Amino acid sequence: MIKKAEVKALFKRNLWDENQVLRQILGICSLLAVTNLLSNSLVMGVGLIFSVALSSFTISLLRNYIPHRVRMIIQTLIIAAWVILFDIVIKAMLPDISRALGPYVGLIITNCIIMGRAEAFAQSNPPVESFLDGVFAGLGYTAVLIVIAFIRELMGFGTILGFNVNFLGLQTWTIMVMPPAAFFLVGVMIWIVNNIASGKKAVGGGKNG
Amino acid sequence: MKDSYLYTIVFTFVLTAVFATILAVTYAGYLPVITENEAKVERAAILKVLGLGAEADLLAAFDEQVAPVAAGVPSTYAVFGDDGRPVSYAFPLNGQGLWGAIRGYIGVSAGFDLLLGMEFTEQNETPGLGGRIDEPWFKEQFQGVPLIAGEEIVYGDGLDAITGATSSSNAVLKILNETIAGLEPLKEVMGR
């Protein structure tokens, strides 16, 4: 069984030390597209957590049986199956959000984070660890999405989760609604996070980077 | 053994079959719900373009408010006034967007001289960019646009395209103009 300390280490690594978006610069494409509204970002995040966790779990379960030369095709097959499953379920349960996300649900399949976790972790670790690794990697991605979507929705539409908070009637910024805004924000976030991380290292001294 | 051709082929086949079965069963199970959801979106769009609003109680009473009419164009609906004559029509809207099909409805006054509204039931434009054609402010601009025979609707003068989504905006306009042009022969028969 997996130890508590291990879970903690996995959590910290995926959310901070090796955050998929901020440190590994993966999943940027979907981030640019869906972060103009908080609600879309939340669903995209949930979709990714679901897909990456279950894909990693399945790939890890089968890791000793998957023939090496067709490894990546099999991984893609498993990922695609879970994503299509998610697509069907939200089409039935959350039709409005399914419509808002449109083709991006299908494109979760090509989100580099899933393939990245499959190759880097699930391929060589037991199922439970892989599942948790997937959940945490997805959470790391979702956390960044939420921060950026919060700023973009607030400044671009003057709303939070669709509720109007622009009480003063201030002018909203069209640029915040458009993908370039996500580029600026994610750039600033990477800069801040890198600064904090490297600052910590300098103070901490003996940590291997 | 694990790297032999036979194993590779059999493994791939079996795994594909297993996942395909899981997906097929799930889809079949949810199909009634998905079909119902799509029908709901369709009915809401029809009510909205006819200016009736699409609250839950109105949706439930869909059949009492509008009636399908045979007009040479399938899925055409009409609202009838107290005198039994049609007040407005909803016509289906179909065409190619930037990335995929765009489907929806337009509402047209009985005299075919006023656009009452436009709604989409399906579109695959980029979320956050072209996907914004489905935002209310964009669609509402088309309410009350006059329809003049031989003249196309263009952007400008109170009708804005979407910043950063020129192709999708133009696709919508093209589909709209084509649909309206296609109504021209019906005007003789149904218009008043």
Side-chain angles (χ1 to χ4, degrees):
Chain A
M1 207 50 224
I2 184 164
K3 287 191 203 77
K4 222 173 164 185
E6 255 178 278
V7 177
K8 242 180 162 173
L10 271 178
F11 182 80
K12 185 168 176 285
R13 195 173 73 206
N14 275 307
L15 260 93
W16 183 257
D17 298 338
E18 290 176 16
N19 184 295
Q20 301 296 321
V21 182
L22 299 175
R23 308 310 295 270
Q24 310 207 44
I25 325 292
L26 293 178
I28 299 292
C29 171
S30 54
L31 178 136
L32 298 183
V34 301
T35 50
N36 61 353
L37 286 174
L38 252 178
S39 56
N40 288 356
S41 304
L42 284 171
V43 178
M44 188 70 183
V46 171
L48 190 94
I49 293 170
F50 176 90
S51 312
V52 72
L54 289 170
S55 305
S56 281
F57 180 77
T58 317
I59 289 163
S60 172
L61 266 184
L62 297 170
R63 71 188 187 285
N64 295 326
Y65 307 101
I66 297 175
H68 200 68
R69 72 178 106 216
V70 292
R71 184 179 85 246
M72 293 192 111
I73 296 174
I74 302 280
Q75 287 170 359
T76 313
L77 171 81
I78 294 169
I79 294 166
W82 282 118
V83 172
I84 296 169
L85 203 69
F86 177 75
D87 192 27
I88 294 172
V89 172
I90 68 163
K91 252 195 195 129
M93 301 299 182
L94 304 162
D96 293 339
I97 286 170
S98 164
R99 269 160 54 77
L101 285 180
Y104 267 84
V105 178
L107 287 181
I108 294 177
I109 298 169
T110 57
N111 192 315
C112 337
I113 295 173
I114 309 186
M115 199 71 160
R117 287 341 284 164
E119 274 290 296
F121 199 91
Q123 192 64 23
S124 46
N125 284 287
V128 178
E129 276 90 332
S130 301
F131 179 85
L132 287 173
D133 177 75
V135 171
F136 297 151
L139 276 177
Y141 168 82
T142 310
V144 177
L145 239 63
I146 288 173
V147 172
I148 293 180
F150 181 84
I151 301 172
R152 285 182 71 188
E153 188 177 337
L154 183 67
M155 300 184 82
F157 292 105
T159 59
I160 295 294
L161 277 171
F163 293 105
N164 188 7
V165 291
N166 191 2
F167 303 116
L168 298 173
L170 299 174
Q171 180 67 40
T172 53
W173 299 10
T174 310
I175 182 100
M176 278 297 169
V177 179
M178 303 196 306
F183 260 124
F184 300 141
L185 291 173
V186 84
V188 169
M189 255 182 107
I190 290 170
W191 174 57
I192 293 173
V193 165
N194 269 338
N195 257 330
I196 297 173
S198 59
K200 246 190 194 162
K201 219 184 311 175
V203 175
K207 216 171 161 192
N208 341 316
Chain B
M1 197 285 251
K2 207 176 109 181
D3 276 325
S4 76
Y5 282 120
L6 187 67
Y7 178 83
T8 305
I9 292 168
V10 171
F11 182 88
T12 313
F13 262 98
V14 170
L15 200 72
T16 310
V18 168
F19 278 107
T21 310
I22 294 173
L23 289 182
V25 168
T26 316
Y27 186 68
Y30 275 124
L31 196 58
V33 189
I34 293 173
T35 317
E36 177 53 28
N37 283 339
E38 278 167 6
K40 224 182 257 168
V41 168
E42 196 109 328
R43 290 197 293 263
I46 293 166
L47 291 181
K48 268 193 213 158
V49 297
L50 291 171
L52 295 172
E55 284 77 33
D57 52 328
L58 289 170
L59 267 181
F62 181 78
D63 291 331
E64 292 162 28
Q65 300 182 67
V66 299
V69 286
V73 183
S75 32
T76 299
Y77 292 84
V79 180
F80 292 92
D82 293 332
D83 58 354
R85 302 185 66 176
V87 179
S88 50
Y89 295 108
F91 290 104
L93 190 74
N94 278 310
Q96 182 64 31
L98 179 62
W99 299 121
I102 294 180
R103 276 182 241 285
Y105 283 90
I106 53 166
V108 175
S109 64
F112 285 72
D113 51 5
L114 210 59
L115 191 59
L116 300 174
M118 176 172 69
E119 286 293 331
F120 304 110
T121 51
E122 185 193 333
Q123 54 92 4
N124 293 297
E125 304 308 292
T126 320
L129 280 174
R132 298 184 61 210
I133 58 171
D134 214 7
E135 285 177 10
W137 71 267
F138 180 73
K139 295 181 292 193
E140 279 162 11
Q141 299 184 105
F142 291 88
Q143 290 170 3
V145 170
L147 302 177
I148 302 157
E151 256 181 56
E152 295 209 320
I153 299 170
V154 289
Y155 286 118
D157 199 20
L159 205 57
D160 291 330
I162 296 163
T163 314
T166 309
S167 298
S168 296
S169 307
N170 286 341
V172 168
L173 204 61
K174 187 164 166 271
I175 297 166
L176 183 63
N177 279 321
E178 280 170 5
T179 307
I180 291 166
L183 298 180
E184 204 58 30
L186 294 176
K187 201 170 160 181
E188 305 276 305
V189 194
M190 296 161 71
R192 62 160 180 158

